[in-house]
Amino acid sequence: MTTTPPRARPPLVAAPSARLVFRMILPADAALLLTLMNDPDYHRYIGDRGLKTVEDARRYVREHIAPHHSRHGYGLWLASTVEGKPVGIAGLLKRDRLDAPDIGYALLAEARGKGYGKEAATAMLAHGFTALAAQNLYAITNPENAVSNGLLASLGFSVIDGAFQMTPDAKPGYLHQLKRPATWAPAS
């Protein structure tokens, strides 16, 4: 009798990029999450997660971020410079309505405009296409978020639904898709 070896689980964290490293988000990161998720642009383009206190943010890590990693083997990670300065979060999310991971990223105000968003998104492409062996990846954006919409287009994503709703009561957004090219290699 031959046995099939168990399928290797993908690495728990996305590989570092030239300027960024990624690690699991911990309850100890609650103050940073509270700042990020209460930024006016985060509320405008991503949504209000209802975090009002550091304890709310700790609970969010315990009840949303950590369980997503446990269930799916991937999720959101803290993104920091190689010197250790946090710049935001980035990751891949499993959405019930999508057949492949959804790329997500959000940067602290002081980290925007420095190319970290594109670098983080590119690292997530690499993780999705290599470690997860995804055949395509998605991203969901607010139609008014010109920066993220442009960033995704520069990476090769196309809008496949201009009125996508994650839930029936959600505001319509853009659903972007990038199919894995036959000769995929990360963009520089």
Coordinates of all heavy atoms in Angstrom, one line a residue, residues 7 13 15 19 22 24 26 32 35 42 46 49 53-55 88 93 117 134 148 152-153 155 157 173 177 180 182:
R7 N 0.1 17.0 2.5 CA 0.4 18.2 1.8 C 1.0 19.2 2.7 O 0.6 19.4 3.8 CB -0.9 18.8 1.2 CG -0.7 19.8 0.2 CD -2.0 20.2 -0.4 NE -2.0 21.6 -0.6 CZ -3.0 22.3 -1.0 NH1 -4.1 21.7 -1.3 NH2 -3.0 23.6 -1.1
V13 N 3.8 33.1 7.5 CA 4.0 34.5 7.2 C 4.6 34.7 5.8 O 5.4 33.9 5.4 CB 5.0 35.1 8.3 CG1 5.2 36.6 8.1 CG2 4.4 34.9 9.7
A15 N 6.9 36.1 2.9 CA 8.3 36.4 2.9 C 8.6 37.9 2.9 O 7.8 38.6 2.4 CB 8.9 35.7 1.7
R19 N 12.2 46.1 1.5 CA 12.1 47.0 2.6 C 11.2 46.6 3.7 O 11.2 47.3 4.8 CB 11.7 48.4 2.1 CG 12.7 49.0 1.1 CD 12.2 50.4 0.7 NE 10.9 50.4 0.1 CZ 10.1 51.4 0.0 NH1 10.5 52.6 0.5 NH2 8.9 51.3 -0.5
F22 N 7.2 40.9 7.5 CA 5.8 40.7 7.9 C 5.8 39.7 9.1 O 6.7 38.8 9.1 CB 5.0 40.1 6.8 CG 5.0 41.0 5.6 CD1 5.9 40.7 4.5 CD2 4.1 42.0 5.4 CE1 6.0 41.6 3.4 CE2 4.2 42.9 4.3 CZ 5.1 42.6 3.3
M24 N 3.0 37.9 12.4 CA 1.7 37.8 12.9 C 1.3 39.1 13.7 O 2.2 39.7 14.4 CB 1.6 36.6 13.8 CG 1.9 35.3 13.1 SD 0.8 34.8 11.8 CE -0.6 34.3 12.7
L26 N -0.3 40.6 16.9 CA -0.5 40.1 18.3 C -1.4 41.1 19.1 O -1.5 42.3 18.7 CB 0.9 40.0 18.9 CG 1.9 39.1 18.2 CD1 3.3 39.3 18.9 CD2 1.4 37.7 18.2
L32 N -1.4 50.1 18.0 CA -1.1 50.4 16.6 C -2.4 50.2 15.7 O -2.7 51.0 14.9 CB 0.0 49.6 16.1 CG 0.4 49.8 14.6 CD1 1.9 50.2 14.5 CD2 0.0 48.6 13.8
T35 N -4.9 52.9 16.2 CA -4.6 54.1 15.4 C -4.9 53.9 14.0 O -5.5 54.8 13.3 CB -3.1 54.5 15.6 OG1 -2.8 54.7 17.0 CG2 -2.6 55.6 14.8
Y42 N -9.0 55.1 6.6 CA -9.4 53.8 6.9 C -10.9 53.7 6.9 O -11.6 52.8 6.3 CB -8.8 53.2 8.2 CG -8.9 51.7 8.3 CD1 -7.8 50.9 8.0 CD2 -10.0 51.1 8.8 CE1 -7.9 49.5 8.1 CE2 -10.1 49.7 8.9 CZ -9.0 49.0 8.6 OH -9.1 47.6 8.7
I46 N -12.2 51.6 3.9 CA -12.3 50.2 4.3 C -13.5 50.0 5.2 O -14.3 49.1 5.0 CB -11.0 49.8 5.0 CG1 -9.8 49.9 4.0 CG2 -11.1 48.4 5.5 CD1 -8.4 49.7 4.6
R49 N -14.5 49.6 12.0 CA -14.5 48.3 12.7 C -15.1 48.4 14.2 O -15.1 47.4 14.9 CB -13.1 47.6 12.8 CG -12.6 47.3 11.4 CD -13.4 46.3 10.6 NE -12.8 46.0 9.3 CZ -13.4 46.3 8.2 NH1 -14.5 46.9 8.1 NH2 -12.8 45.9 7.0
T53 N -11.3 51.5 21.9 CA -10.3 51.4 22.9 C -9.2 50.4 22.6 O -9.4 49.6 21.7 CB -10.9 51.0 24.3 OG1 -11.4 49.6 24.1 CG2 -12.1 51.9 24.7
V54 N -8.1 50.4 23.3 CA -7.1 49.4 23.1 C -7.6 48.0 23.3 O -7.3 47.1 22.6 CB -5.8 49.7 23.9 CG1 -4.8 48.6 23.9 CG2 -5.2 51.0 23.5
E55 N -8.5 47.9 24.3 CA -9.0 46.6 24.6 C -9.9 46.1 23.5 O -9.9 44.9 23.1 CB -9.8 46.6 25.9 CG -10.4 45.2 26.3 CD -9.3 44.1 26.3 OE1 -8.2 44.3 26.8 OE2 -9.7 43.0 25.8
G88 N 2.0 49.4 8.7 CA 0.6 49.1 8.5 C 0.4 47.6 8.6 O 1.1 46.9 9.2
L93 N -7.0 37.4 2.6 CA -8.2 37.0 3.4 C -9.0 36.0 2.6 O -9.2 36.2 1.3 CB -9.0 38.2 3.7 CG -8.2 39.3 4.6 CD1 -8.9 40.6 4.5 CD2 -8.0 38.7 6.0
G117 N 2.9 50.5 0.0 CA 1.6 49.8 -0.4 C 1.9 48.9 -1.5 O 1.5 47.7 -1.5
A134 N -2.4 29.8 -5.4 CA -3.6 30.3 -6.0 C -3.5 30.5 -7.5 O -2.4 30.9 -8.0 CB -3.9 31.7 -5.3
S148 N -5.5 53.2 -4.3 CA -5.5 51.7 -4.3 C -5.9 51.2 -5.7 O -5.4 50.2 -6.1 CB -6.4 51.2 -3.2 OG -5.7 51.2 -2.0
L152 N -3.5 48.7 -7.8 CA -3.8 47.4 -8.2 C -3.7 47.3 -9.8 O -3.3 46.3 -10.3 CB -5.2 47.1 -7.7 CG -5.3 46.9 -6.2 CD1 -6.8 46.9 -5.8 CD2 -4.6 45.6 -5.8
A153 N -4.1 48.3 -10.5 CA -4.0 48.3 -11.9 C -2.6 48.2 -12.3 O -2.2 47.5 -13.3 CB -4.7 49.6 -12.5
L155 N -0.3 46.6 -10.9 CA 0.1 45.2 -10.6 C -0.5 44.3 -11.6 O -0.2 43.1 -11.6 CB -0.2 44.8 -9.2 CG 0.6 45.6 -8.1 CD1 0.1 45.2 -6.7 CD2 2.1 45.3 -8.3
F157 N -4.0 43.9 -12.0 CA -5.4 43.6 -11.7 C -6.4 44.3 -12.6 O -6.1 45.4 -13.1 CB -5.7 44.0 -10.2 CG -5.3 43.1 -9.2 CD1 -4.0 43.2 -8.7 CD2 -6.1 42.2 -8.6 CE1 -3.5 42.4 -7.6 CE2 -5.7 41.4 -7.6 CZ -4.4 41.5 -7.1
G173 N -18.6 48.1 -4.2 CA -17.2 48.4 -4.4 C -16.7 47.8 -5.7 O -17.5 47.1 -6.4
Q177 N -9.5 41.4 -10.0 CA -8.9 40.1 -10.1 C -7.6 40.1 -10.9 O -7.5 40.9 -11.9 CB -9.9 39.2 -10.9 CG -9.5 37.7 -11.0 CD -10.4 36.9 -11.8 OE1 -10.9 37.3 -12.8 NE2 -10.7 35.7 -11.3
R180 N -3.2 34.3 -12.3 CA -1.8 33.9 -12.3 C -1.3 33.8 -13.7 O -1.7 32.9 -14.4 CB -1.6 32.7 -11.5 CG -0.2 32.2 -11.4 CD 0.0 30.8 -10.8 NE 1.3 30.5 -10.8 CZ 2.0 30.1 -9.7 NH1 1.4 29.9 -8.6 NH2 3.3 29.8 -9.8
A182 N 1.1 32.5 -16.6 CA 1.9 31.2 -16.8 C 3.3 31.4 -16.3 O 3.9 30.5 -15.8 CB 1.8 30.8 -18.2

